[in-house]
Amino acid sequence: MCSSDLGAALALVEARPGVTLMLWARDEKRLAGVAAACQARGADVQTEIFDLREIGGLAAKLAAADAAIPIDLAIFNAGLGGTASDKNAAELPDSARAVAEVNFVAPVVGANALAEAMAARGAGHIVLVGSIAESYPLPMAPTYAGTKAGLRIFAEALRLRLAGHGVKVSLVLPGFIDTPMSRSVNEPKPFLISADRAAAIISR
């Protein structure tokens, strides 16, 4: 998903002549702006409006996209975060479910869908964007921390499984990036960096 600050920055880092980008997001207006900026850098751009909370259609859409243009590099970047309200003892069930689906279920489903096609070609690279929150049991965001911890183990296991098929799996564990998600957190944010800087590091 590329209409967020980090997603947009990652798309722009990869945008250059000879590259075809498939940009997915649920915000049509912001997606159009990112696509135009990438096209201005010389990339061919295709867009798809998709909400990752609609998990049921994800695998089929990815399979169709890969069948049309084989995907060499897939970056699963979308995420939901924020902190739970102090008014409640626990997180609201609906909010927890949304975080779990977007942060863990969607990248797991998507990565498995593309891994099979990449393995058949003997090449490909899957990038999963997690968080250093995977190492900390955050009481203000238990589900968020849990999804990132799960994503780390999934990435490590998938990397081992695909090692003999020519498919790479990378796990990105950023700290605080200056995005709307981070701005919604009231706690201290040490070592905060810009989305552009983070994207450059991730791409390298």
Side-chain angles (χ1 to χ4, degrees):
M1 292 296 172
C2 68
S3 63
S4 69
D5 289 14
L6 179 59
L10 285 167
L12 287 168
V13 164
E14 298 298 332
R16 56 188 176 273
V19 170
T20 297
L21 297 176
M22 297 181 184
L23 307 181
W24 291 28
R26 59 176 177 161
D27 188 320
E28 185 173 2
K29 183 177 180 180
R30 293 195 66 184
L31 178 59
V34 175
C38 291
Q39 289 170 333
R41 294 193 176 194
D44 292 325
V45 180
Q46 298 183 9
T47 61
E48 179 78 28
I49 304 301
F50 189 78
D51 189 334
L52 282 180
R53 289 171 291 190
E54 303 296 330
I55 291 293
L58 178 59
K61 278 188 172 292
L62 283 172
D66 184 77
I69 301 177
I71 297 172
D72 299 314
L73 171 66
I75 303 176
F76 292 92
N77 167 70
L80 290 178
T83 55
S85 172
D86 291 336
K87 296 179 181 179
N88 304 302
E91 295 175 289
L92 297 177
D94 286 346
S95 297
R97 176 179 176 177
V99 170
E101 288 180 343
V102 172
N103 292 5
F104 183 73
V105 179
V108 166
V109 171
N112 277 300
L114 289 179
E116 194 68 28
M118 289 179 173
R121 294 190 291 269
H125 192 172
I126 295 169
V127 179
L128 300 164
V129 179
S131 168
I132 59 169
E134 56 88 17
S135 297
Y136 302 95
L138 302 176
M140 77 292 291
T143 303
Y144 180 81
T147 61
K148 297 305 182 180
L151 195 63
R152 176 180 64 83
I153 293 298
F154 169 72
E156 292 178 4
L158 187 65
R159 182 187 299 120
L160 293 172
R161 185 175 182 88
L162 296 177
H165 297 278
V167 181
K168 299 178 182 179
V169 178
S170 294
L171 175 67
V172 179
L173 297 175
F176 287 108
I177 300 172
D178 188 17
T179 65
M181 183 189 299
S182 289
R183 292 171 208 139
S184 71
V185 176
N186 296 321
E187 287 75 19
K189 296 180 277 287
F191 308 111
L192 181 73
I193 63 174
S194 70
D196 289 341
R197 175 63 176 150
I201 294 170
I202 292 169
S203 179
R204 185 174 69 245

